[in-house]
């Protein structure tokens, strides 16, 4: 019986090849996206499974308080001071390891490369059971020991057998290789989106004592960086809740008040979630959205199938009538039709899997992931999906057609046609609602991203060549020479040094007050350290007062000088002084209080600049202060105008190599600094656009199939209408309108939904597009126009056909 | 009312060329009741379709109220057709998704008539045809005879002066067939010109004139005293 049904099903598919192709391809597309989305989410959420301690390991995160205001909700990081406290308070804990990433120039004496060094406590190697090629897990006990991964060793030494070899950091500090491990797999949190450098070189935290005079055992309460994870491994007897309560207690008792203002709590996360923590951090539920969107696509595809199958089943009511007359029960017929949809779902799934076998390797290649389609593991899920899709999509048409008694089935298709056409309209509407929703969303995201990009052009992005990593002893004393030589270049306008350049996500803040000794922190200024040329290089005008310079001694911070420092502020800082005109702020004084020793520092405003969003991207404009502090110079900005830019860059490199031969130049355009962060937005937009495209294509395929079917069904009716005097235009309008109503209803639902959906994204930005309303309307319009274009062909063809051909073959 | 002069209709298919109408001359006066008869395939429907302006002749002239419409295009013909001609088909050609009343109303839908006026005329014609109690039924729920009455109602509701009927009784039993013929006769008495194709000599007897077609020629014409 079952086999018989399958044979009939396949025969039926071959009879209606076009419709079968449309049905199957739609379903296959939906399944491909759904399965891919599922695999991707599963992949992202099941990182680090290769480490044996993953189930017992947690990471400590910090919840940002609104005070912090850096566009981030939570960090998967804590202050370095926290790790030792955890270990000291609870001897039961198996291991605690802090890590911190810092870039150093690593040289073997022959070759030098800048590397992001992961400084870690020795327990790091207890928690993670790496595979050792040479050395062992004690490698970090010696503060001069250092661990290389296999590929890092090959990069620096050309071989892996490098135990005991010496390397230097910044040409100054020597280390010896104490271990070489196999490369860490791509599906670990070491390769998550914000730290895709992976794990290359690991050095002991304690080495920071020597490298930067840092008290590694005590840590600090000042620095909070994204990649700096503190791991805690618990014994089997303790769980996450216990650790959380420990952390709450530590927060209450031991976090300094000044830090409680910016960090409102500690939170314990499973190591397993560390890979996706970046999305929690910025508050965008990307993983959830991917799941939701791929499910939506599958639903569209199912609805699509249901819709077409329902329409086509009407044409088979005669067949059903005959079968019933000959004694088939409704159950048998139901089974027959369900078998048919299951067969289609199975074919579609096979096609989807074949497609994934092609797509996944390409995707892996493009993204450095190692996703696999593990049949053994996913088989139950794939089978269940296939069965559910087959049943859900096929149930309605099967029920509809087998429900009637035989006479009705043979004769009266009318009422059924009318009722099911309503259901079909609703289903078309649902498809369009989802795709219009996605289309609108993707457009809003695109426009918002575009605004972010437009906003970034206030800085001469493509004309600034930045040179990073200047804050090294061997370099900083050569900066004046470097500037002189660079400025002599033909196409170089100006050369400035600063603590940061636009778009870098650094938030150096200083709490200030108008009276010395007042509770500092009431007014928070962003703190830019720069040389006076900065204004020149970035075209920042002075709107009141004067620029900082070399002539006035208090303009420039030198060594331990603590007398009043002259500074510039931007217009947003004016409220601090209670003035509204820029000129009134000049010569105003304000103070910051040092938390450690209670001394306050005096600042005098000598100039005011317009407000610019220096950190840019998600952040809002903030009050800034500009100080001339050579000690803090970290990055240079070379403004290039005219000439062949690439030649100029070459000249810059030549000069660098001559002036600072010991260190390779770390240069790139400001454009690239911006792209660094912007690419995440662009990536999300592209993914969203992909989903929207697929959803819309599916809806259009469905509409096309349905229009073709309806056109065939209605030839007689159209013939009658024409005989009765309807013009071709009226007929075309009738058909277009019939398909437009559900689309318009869909927009009525989808556009408000998209409006609210987009707010999640827009809220993420300080500088938002004014009103997404026109965009929503435009997206809706596009959906309608596409729908019209899809059905217009059919509508015009049957509207202009000769009525007697239609009536003749009744 | 209308005059066909030397009318040819040639169907060109892949291999064969069918001459469906072979030099037909026919004149029909206002108020006439004409029956067209002949063996299957002789060109009756073709002739009726051309008279009904659903199709263009290959050659020849067609004067409708002294206007030669032979070369008119589809939309010009549609305009004249709409004002002047009602149709009845052998297979009823009712739209199954519409109720009886809606089917009838369809004939007025394309005449720029206010909705209230349409409803009024539909109701009055349903009364006249004795199908008022079926107004909200679907065609599928009616018998063949009832369906054909609906079709007749649809043909006359527009008050067009000419009604073309292609085997209107072909699908009906003799009782229902007779009913429809009575309806047509009374319409003709009220002044409507009727051209009807039929295979039944008995039903042809209702007409004033009988035109016999054979292989695309008119072979005989008999006129019966009214
Ligand atoms: N669209 C067409 N293409 C080709 N040949 C056609 C077409 N329509 C009609 N014919 C041919 O023209 C001839 C006349 O057809 P027509 O339909 O007018 O016959 P009829 O007299 O109405 O026959 P019946 O009594 O069976 O309805 C037939 O031979 C038919 O095959
Ligand atoms: Mg015929």
């Amino acid at each position: 019986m079952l086999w018989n049904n399958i044979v009939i099903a396949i025969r039926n598919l071959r009879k209606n090849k076009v419709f079968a192709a449309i049905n199957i391809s739609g379903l296959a597309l939906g399944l491909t996206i759904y399965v891919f989305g599922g695999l991707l989410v599963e992949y992202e959420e099941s990182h680090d499974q290769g480490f044996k301690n993953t189930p017992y390991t947690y990471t400590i995160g910090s919840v940002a308080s609104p005070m912090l205001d850096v566009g981030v909700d939570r960090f998967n990081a804590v202050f370095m001071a926290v790790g030792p406290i955890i270990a000291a308070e609870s001897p039961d804990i198996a291991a605690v390891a802090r890590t911190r990433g810092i870039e150093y120039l690593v040289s073997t004496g022959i070759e030098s490369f800048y590397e992001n060094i992961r400084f870690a406590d020795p327990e790091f190697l207890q928690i993670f059971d790496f595979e050792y090629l040479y050395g062992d897990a004690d490698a970090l006990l010696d503060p001069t020991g250092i661990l290389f991964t296999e590929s890092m060793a090959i990069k620096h030494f050309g071989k892996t057998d490098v135990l005991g070899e010496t390397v230097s950091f910044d040409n100054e500090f020597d280390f010896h290789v104490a271990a070489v491990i196999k490369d860490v797999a791509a599906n670990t949190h070491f390769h998550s989106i914000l730290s895709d450098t992976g794990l290359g070189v690991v050095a002991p935290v304690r080495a920071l004592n020597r490298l930067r005079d840092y008290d590694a055992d005590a840590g600090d309460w000042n620095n909070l960086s994204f990649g700096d994870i503190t791991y805690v491994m618990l014994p089997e007897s303790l769980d996450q809740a216990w650790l959380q309560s420990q952390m709450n207690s530590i927060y209450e008792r031991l976090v300094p008040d000044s830090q409680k203002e910016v960090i409102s709590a500690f939170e314990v996360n499973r190591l397993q979630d560390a890979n996706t923590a970046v999305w929690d951090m910025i508050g965008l539920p990307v993983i959830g959205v991917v799941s939701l969107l791929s499910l939506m696509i599958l639903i569209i595809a199912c609805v699509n199938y249901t819709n077409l199958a329902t329409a086509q089943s009407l044409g088979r009511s005669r067949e059903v009538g005959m079968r019933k007359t000959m004694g088939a029960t409704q159950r048998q017929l139901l089974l027959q039709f369900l078998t048919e949809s299951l067969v289609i779902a199975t074919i579609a799934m096979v096609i989807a899997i074949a497609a994934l076998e092609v797509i996944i390797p390409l995707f892996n290649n493009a993204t450095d992931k190692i996703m696999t389609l593990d049949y053994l593991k996913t088989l139950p899920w794939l089978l269940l999906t296939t069965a559910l899709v087959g049943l859900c999509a096929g149930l309605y048409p099967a029920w509809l057609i087998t429900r009637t008694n035989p006479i009705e089935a043979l004769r009266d298709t009318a009422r059924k046609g009318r009722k099911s056409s309503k259901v079909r309209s609703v289903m078309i509407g649902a498809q369009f609602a989802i795709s219009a929703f996605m289309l609108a969303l993707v457009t809003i995201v695109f426009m918002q991203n575009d605004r972010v990009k437009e906003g970034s052009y206030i800085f001469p992005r493509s004309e600034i060549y930045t040179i990073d990593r200047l804050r090294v002893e061997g370099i900083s004393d050569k900066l004046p020479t470097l500037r002189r030589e660079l400025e002599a270049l033909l196409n170089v306008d100006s050369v400035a040094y600063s603590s940061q350049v636009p778009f870098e996500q650094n938030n150096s803040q200083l709490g200030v007050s108008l009276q010395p000794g007042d509770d500092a922190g009431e007014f928070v200024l962003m703190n830019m350290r720069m040389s006076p040329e900065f204004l020149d290089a970035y075209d920042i005008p002075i709107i009141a007062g004067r620029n900082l310079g070399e002539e006035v001694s208090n303009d420039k911070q030198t060594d331990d000088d603590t007398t009043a420092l002259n500074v510039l502020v931007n217009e947003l800082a004016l409220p601090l002084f209670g003035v509204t005109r820029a000129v009134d702020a000049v010569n105003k004084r304000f103070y910051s209080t040092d938390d450690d020793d209670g001394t306050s520092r005096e600042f005098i405003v000598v100039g005011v600049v317009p407000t610019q969003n220096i950190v840019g991207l998600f952040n809002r404009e903030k009050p800034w202060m500009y100080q001339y502090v050579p000690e803090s110079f970290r990055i240079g900005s070379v403004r290039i105008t005219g000439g062949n830019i690439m030649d100029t860059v070459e000249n810059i490199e030549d000069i660098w190599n001559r002036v600072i031969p010991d260190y390779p130049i770390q240069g790139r355009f400001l454009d690239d600094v911006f792209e660094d962060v912007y690419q995440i937005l662009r990536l999300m937009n592209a993914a969203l656009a992909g989903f929207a495209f697929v959803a819309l294509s599916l809806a259009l395929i469905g509409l096309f199939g349905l229009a073709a079917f309806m056109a065939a069904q209605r030839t007689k009716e159209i013939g009658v209408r024409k005989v009765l005097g309807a013009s071709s235009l009226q007929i075309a309008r009738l058909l277009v309108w019939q398909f437009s109503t559900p689309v318009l209803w869909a927009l009525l639902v989808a556009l408000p939904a998209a409006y609210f959906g987009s707010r999640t994204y827009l809220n993420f930005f300080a500088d938002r597009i004014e009103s997404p309303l026109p965009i929503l309307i435009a997206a809706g319009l596009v959906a309608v126009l596409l729908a019209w274009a899809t059905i217009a062909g059919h509508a015009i063809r049957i509207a202009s056909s000769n009525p007697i051909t239609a009536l003749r073959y009744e | 009312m209308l005059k066909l002069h030397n009318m040819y209709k040639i169907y060109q298919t892949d291999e064969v060329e069918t001459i469906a109408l072979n030099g037909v001359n026919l004149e029909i006066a206002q108020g006439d009741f004409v029956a067209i008869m002949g063996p299957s395939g002789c060109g009756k429907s073709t002739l009726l379709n051309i008279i009904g302006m659903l199709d263009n002749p290959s050659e020849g002239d067609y004067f409708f109220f002294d206007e030669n419409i032979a070369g008119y295009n589809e939309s010009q013909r549609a305009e004249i057709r709409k004002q002047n001609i009602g149709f009845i088909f052998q297979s009823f050609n009712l739209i199954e998704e519409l109720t009886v009343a809606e089917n009838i109303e369809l004939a007025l839908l394309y005449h720029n008539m206010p909705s209230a006026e349409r409803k009024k005329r539909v109701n009055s014609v349903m009364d006249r045809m004795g199908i008022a109690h079926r107004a909200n039924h679907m065609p599928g729920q009616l018998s063949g005879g009832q369906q054909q009455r609906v079709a007749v109602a649809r043909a006359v509701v527009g008050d067009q002066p000419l009604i073309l009927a292609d085997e209107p009784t072909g699908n009906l039993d003799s009782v229902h067939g007779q009913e429809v013929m009575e309806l047509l006769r009374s319409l003709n008495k009220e002044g409507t010109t009727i051209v009807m194709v039929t295979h039944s000599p008995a039903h042809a007897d209702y007409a004033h004139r009988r035109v016999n077609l054979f292989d695309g020629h008119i072979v005989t014409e008999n006129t019966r005293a009214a």
Side-chain angles (χ1 to χ4, degrees):
Chain A
M1 190 64 199
L2 182 70
W3 183 244
N4 194 17
N5 275 341
I6 293 178
V7 170
I8 293 174
I10 292 174
R11 204 175 292 152
N12 254 319
L13 291 181
R14 285 167 57 172
K15 212 168 75 192
N16 301 308
K17 284 201 185 73
V18 176
F19 283 116
I22 293 181
N23 287 351
I24 292 176
S25 60
L27 220 44
L29 187 57
L31 281 170
T32 308
I33 301 291
Y34 175 74
V35 174
F36 184 78
L39 289 175
L40 182 62
V41 168
E42 157 76 12
Y43 174 81
E44 293 296 334
E45 288 186 341
S46 70
H47 272 42
D48 298 297
Q49 299 304 321
F51 299 118
K52 78 170 193 286
N53 292 323
T54 296
Y56 319 110
T57 305
Y58 300 88
T59 63
I60 310 296
S62 306
V63 180
S65 80
M67 255 287 285
L68 191 59
D69 193 21
V70 292
V72 167
D73 295 344
R74 48 200 357 111
F75 298 79
N76 194 21
V78 282
F79 301 111
M80 288 287 266
V82 175
I85 295 177
I86 302 174
E89 293 225 331
S90 321
D92 299 344
I93 289 177
V96 178
R98 301 166 296 168
T99 62
R100 163 172 281 182
I102 305 174
E103 200 178 54
Y104 276 99
L105 182 70
V106 175
S107 350
T108 56
I110 305 157
E111 284 208 84
S112 319
F113 300 95
Y114 279 107
E115 299 292 357
N116 186 21
I117 311 293
R118 195 167 297 250
F119 290 90
D121 284 319
E123 291 81 0
F124 181 70
L125 299 185
Q126 284 171 33
I127 295 173
F128 295 98
D129 54 327
F130 300 117
E131 264 184 78
Y132 290 86
L133 296 177
Y134 303 97
D136 54 34
D138 291 335
L140 300 179
L141 286 173
D142 175 351
T144 61
I146 186 174
L147 177 147
F148 271 69
T149 60
E150 193 178 0
S151 58
M152 255 321 146
I154 291 174
K155 174 178 171 188
H156 286 267
F157 298 98
K159 56 180 182 173
T160 59
D161 179 11
V162 294
L163 213 58
E165 298 265 3
T166 304
V167 294
S168 76
F169 283 11
D170 280 0
N171 293 336
E172 214 182 325
F173 308 100
D174 283 348
F175 288 85
H176 68 267
V177 179
V180 180
I181 59 169
K182 280 211 143 147
D183 285 353
V184 175
N187 56 350
T188 59
H189 72 286
F190 298 114
H191 288 270
S192 75
I193 188 153
L194 275 193
S195 61
D196 55 359
T197 46
L199 196 68
V201 180
V202 185
V205 167
R206 210 165 267 184
L208 292 172
N209 292 354
R210 185 161 55 110
L211 291 172
R212 35 180 64 190
D213 200 14
Y214 178 80
D215 184 355
D217 290 335
D220 70 277
W221 291 102
N222 297 321
N223 233 307
L224 205 52
S225 267
F226 299 136
D228 298 353
I229 300 180
T230 295
Y231 305 89
V232 177
M233 183 166 86
L234 296 181
E236 263 178 82
S237 54
L238 295 173
D239 63 4
Q240 184 172 1
W242 174 84
L243 184 55
Q244 182 66 59
S245 68
Q246 284 296 107
M247 294 313 301
N248 293 346
S249 147
I250 290 174
Y251 178 85
E252 286 307 322
R253 288 179 291 119
L254 299 169
V255 175
D257 285 343
S258 59
Q259 295 308 335
K260 279 185 176 164
E261 278 174 14
V262 287
I263 298 300
S264 61
F266 291 142
E267 59 179 9
V268 177
N269 301 309
R270 299 182 305 165
L271 173 61
Q272 194 177 331
D273 298 329
N275 179 53
T276 53
V278 54
W279 304 120
D280 297 330
M281 181 182 99
I282 57 178
L284 284 183
V286 168
I287 300 284
V289 167
V290 168
S291 302
L292 185 73
L293 290 185
S294 42
L295 184 66
M296 273 174 147
I297 297 267
L298 184 63
I299 290 175
I300 289 195
C302 285
V303 169
N304 207 15
Y305 173 80
T306 306
N307 224 350
L308 290 170
T310 309
Q312 289 152 34
S313 73
L314 289 181
R316 289 171 66 182
S317 57
R318 233 167 269 270
E319 173 201 333
V320 171
M322 286 308 291
R323 284 179 188 277
K324 282 197 164 175
T325 324
M326 293 184 300
T329 65
Q330 177 172 3
R331 254 182 49 135
Q332 286 168 323
L333 285 172
L334 209 66
L335 210 67
Q336 185 205 322
F337 277 83
L338 283 180
T339 312
E340 210 171 299
S341 67
L342 280 173
V343 166
I344 288 185
T346 309
I347 297 175
M349 182 56 102
V350 169
I351 294 176
I353 289 173
L356 287 174
E357 286 291 352
V358 177
I359 292 169
I360 289 177
L362 291 177
F363 181 77
N364 282 344
N365 240 329
T367 56
D368 282 330
K369 294 187 193 295
I370 47 167
M371 259 168 75
T372 49
L373 182 49
D374 180 349
Y375 290 104
L376 215 62
K377 228 171 73 190
T378 52
L379 194 66
W381 175 55
L382 294 180
L383 284 180
L384 194 73
T385 306
T386 311
L388 271 178
V389 163
L391 289 181
C392 289
L395 201 59
Y396 177 72
W399 171 78
L400 189 75
I401 187 138
T402 56
R403 159 186 70 126
T404 48
N405 71 38
I407 319 275
E408 272 180 41
L410 278 177
R411 186 179 139 195
D412 164 34
T413 52
R415 260 175 316 167
K416 204 158 48 204
R418 187 173 252 217
K419 192 147 167 235
S420 75
S421 95
K422 242 182 226 144
V423 176
R424 283 200 304 271
S425 292
V426 170
M427 287 192 283
I428 287 209
Q431 287 183 323
F432 264 85
I434 295 179
S435 33
F437 169 79
M438 290 193 195
L439 194 67
L441 211 58
V442 84
T443 318
I444 289 177
V445 169
F446 179 83
M447 299 301 268
Q448 176 61 42
N449 287 359
D450 198 56
R451 184 183 186 94
V452 168
K453 199 161 143 192
E454 281 306 313
S456 73
Y457 288 117
I458 56 163
F459 299 110
R461 278 177 37 179
S462 55
E463 294 180 3
I464 299 272
Y465 187 72
T466 68
I467 306 177
D468 203 350
R469 290 207 29 88
L470 303 180
R471 213 176 151 183
V472 173
E473 238 168 86
I475 299 177
S476 41
D477 49 340
K478 294 185 181 133
L479 292 183
T481 321
L482 183 67
R483 163 161 52 233
R484 250 196 328 279
E485 299 237 354
L486 289 179
E487 274 175 348
L489 281 175
L490 185 59
N491 295 310
V492 169
D493 248 27
S494 48
V495 177
Y497 300 122
S498 55
S499 55
Q500 73 185 88
V501 293
F503 316 126
E504 284 186 313
Q505 299 300 299
N506 297 342
N507 290 281
S508 172
Q509 305 176 337
L510 198 64
V512 297
S513 59
L514 280 187
Q515 298 301 323
D518 268 14
D519 190 14
E522 265 167 30
F523 199 96
V524 175
L525 284 178
M526 301 289 286
N527 191 3
M528 166 74 85
R529 275 69 42 91
M530 46 113 216
S531 64
E533 296 81 6
F534 192 81
L535 301 193
D536 228 23
Y538 287 94
D539 294 332
I540 303 174
I542 290 274
I543 51 180
R546 58 172 181 84
N547 192 359
L548 300 171
E550 307 292 340
E551 296 80 26
V552 184
S553 72
N554 280 357
D555 277 5
K556 180 176 181 177
Q557 171 75 47
T558 43
D559 298 332
D560 296 329
D561 181 11
T562 52
T563 55
L565 184 65
N566 293 340
V567 298
L568 308 178
V569 294
N570 71 2
E571 281 181 291
L572 272 187
L574 298 186
L576 169 64
F577 314 106
V579 301
T580 50
R581 294 189 317 156
V583 283
D584 297 335
V586 176
N587 293 327
K588 289 275 192 259
R589 287 155 195 269
F590 60 97
Y591 304 86
S592 74
T593 308
D594 189 317
D595 288 319
D596 291 338
D597 55 14
T599 58
S600 54
R601 185 73 200 272
E602 185 178 17
F603 299 98
I604 303 167
V605 178
V606 297
V608 180
V609 296
T611 301
Q612 287 181 318
N613 197 343
I614 292 178
V615 183
L617 294 143
F618 335 104
N619 300 273
R620 63 179 176 84
E621 294 177 328
K622 290 177 183 170
W624 281 78
M625 158 170 73
Y626 300 74
Q627 312 171 333
Y628 185 6
V629 187
E631 186 188 57
S632 301
F633 292 163
R634 198 203 88 232
I635 186 162
S637 305
V638 183
R639 176 75 182 268
I640 303 171
T641 46
N644 181 326
I645 292 201
M646 279 305 122
D647 286 351
T648 309
V649 169
E650 235 170 80
N651 294 337
I652 292 173
E653 284 170 352
D654 287 345
I655 291 176
W656 173 280
N657 290 337
R658 191 151 37 75
V659 178
I660 307 168
D662 293 341
Y663 295 84
I665 188 169
Q666 289 285 86
R668 59 177 181 162
F669 280 93
L670 192 59
D671 272 340
D672 302 319
V673 178
F674 176 77
E675 276 300 315
D676 249 11
V677 185
Y678 187 69
Q679 59 146 338
I680 297 181
L681 302 186
R682 231 188 8 211
L683 204 77
M684 283 194 291
N685 201 19
L688 210 54
F691 277 117
F693 174 76
V694 171
L696 198 61
S697 314
L698 276 173
L700 291 177
I701 290 177
L703 197 59
F704 182 84
L706 210 55
F709 187 80
M710 292 316 283
Q713 282 272 295
R714 295 182 70 175
T715 37
K716 177 187 144 195
E717 178 204 329
I718 302 301
V720 172
R721 283 180 189 271
K722 289 191 87 170
V723 167
L724 293 176
S727 69
S728 300
L729 194 69
Q730 282 166 320
I731 297 288
R733 220 162 41 199
L734 176 82
L735 292 173
V736 168
W737 184 243
Q738 188 201 355
F739 284 104
S740 299
T741 9
V743 171
L744 293 176
W745 274 110
L747 293 184
L748 226 53
V749 176
L751 297 186
Y755 177 77
F756 288 109
S758 66
R759 288 222 300 223
T760 314
Y761 189 73
L762 294 181
N763 281 344
F764 179 50
F765 297 89
D767 177 27
R768 295 169 207 154
I769 45 175
E770 275 94 34
S771 158
L773 225 58
I775 303 173
L776 286 174
I777 291 168
L781 217 60
V782 168
V784 171
L785 287 179
L786 283 174
W788 280 351
T790 308
I791 50 183
H794 297 297
I796 289 169
R797 191 167 47 75
I798 50 173
S800 54
S801 67
N802 190 337
I804 42 170
T805 359
L807 295 178
R808 221 186 133 74
Y809 306 105
E810 224 331 271
Chain B
M1 176 175 221
L2 64 89
K3 195 167 132 193
L4 306 183
H5 181 70
N6 216 10
M7 176 90 34
Y8 287 85
K9 179 70 188 180
I10 298 156
Y11 288 112
Q12 196 78 48
T13 41
D14 287 345
E15 273 151 32
V16 275
E17 186 185 83
T18 313
I19 304 177
L21 293 181
N22 195 351
V24 169
N25 290 296
L26 182 66
E27 195 170 341
I28 293 171
Q30 201 140 12
D32 227 344
F33 190 163
V34 181
I36 300 174
M37 300 193 69
S40 191
C42 69
K44 304 183 294 293
S45 296
T46 306
L47 181 59
L48 210 64
N49 285 341
I50 287 175
I51 293 176
M53 301 172 207
L54 294 173
D55 210 354
N56 251 342
S58 311
E59 211 177 291
D61 296 320
Y62 178 2
F63 296 93
F64 192 81
F65 285 118
D66 299 329
E67 193 177 350
N68 190 354
I69 62 143
Y72 279 24
N73 68 21
E74 157 78 21
S75 69
Q76 289 168 309
R77 282 185 281 138
E79 197 47 43
I80 301 174
R81 182 171 72 220
K82 192 159 86 177
Q83 302 306 329
N84 295 291
I85 309 174
F87 289 88
I88 304 170
F89 302 95
Q90 173 179 1
S91 53
F92 321 139
N93 275 330
L94 299 175
I95 295 174
E96 291 179 349
E97 287 83 6
L98 301 180
T99 63
V100 165
E102 287 165 344
N103 261 290
I104 298 171
E105 192 182 352
L106 207 58
L108 302 174
L109 209 55
Y110 303 104
H111 282 84
N112 275 331
M113 195 180 282
S115 166
E117 165 78 6
R118 288 203 305 260
K119 293 271 169 352
K120 216 175 80 199
R121 287 175 73 161
V122 169
N123 285 334
S124 92
V125 82
M126 282 195 302
D127 279 341
R128 221 168 92 203
M129 300 287 155
I131 46 174
H133 59 295
R134 298 284 189 185
N136 292 320
H137 283 91
M138 297 310 231
Q141 296 167 292
L142 303 181
S143 74
Q146 289 164 330
Q147 289 193 40
Q148 193 59 303
R149 277 195 216 201
V150 177
V152 173
R154 188 179 61 185
V156 304
V157 70
D159 267 345
Q160 288 97 342
L162 173 63
I163 286 185
L164 302 180
D166 195 346
E167 300 184 40
T169 56
N171 279 358
L172 301 178
D173 64 29
S174 58
V175 178
H176 284 112
Q178 207 139 344
E179 250 177 49
V180 169
M181 289 316 300
E182 291 296 340
L183 272 174
L184 290 181
R185 172 186 276 170
S186 64
L187 282 172
N188 179 245
K189 288 232 166 80
E190 288 161 26
T192 309
T193 312
I194 296 179
V195 180
M196 168 185 76
V197 169
T198 183
H199 285 289
S200 157
H203 292 164
D205 280 344
Y206 281 82
H208 307 156
R209 254 171 89 192
R210 193 187 287 192
V211 175
N212 288 307
L213 221 54
F214 187 78
D215 262 0
H217 297 281
I218 294 182
V219 285
T220 51
E221 273 200 56
N222 331 14
T223 312
R224 182 173 62 88

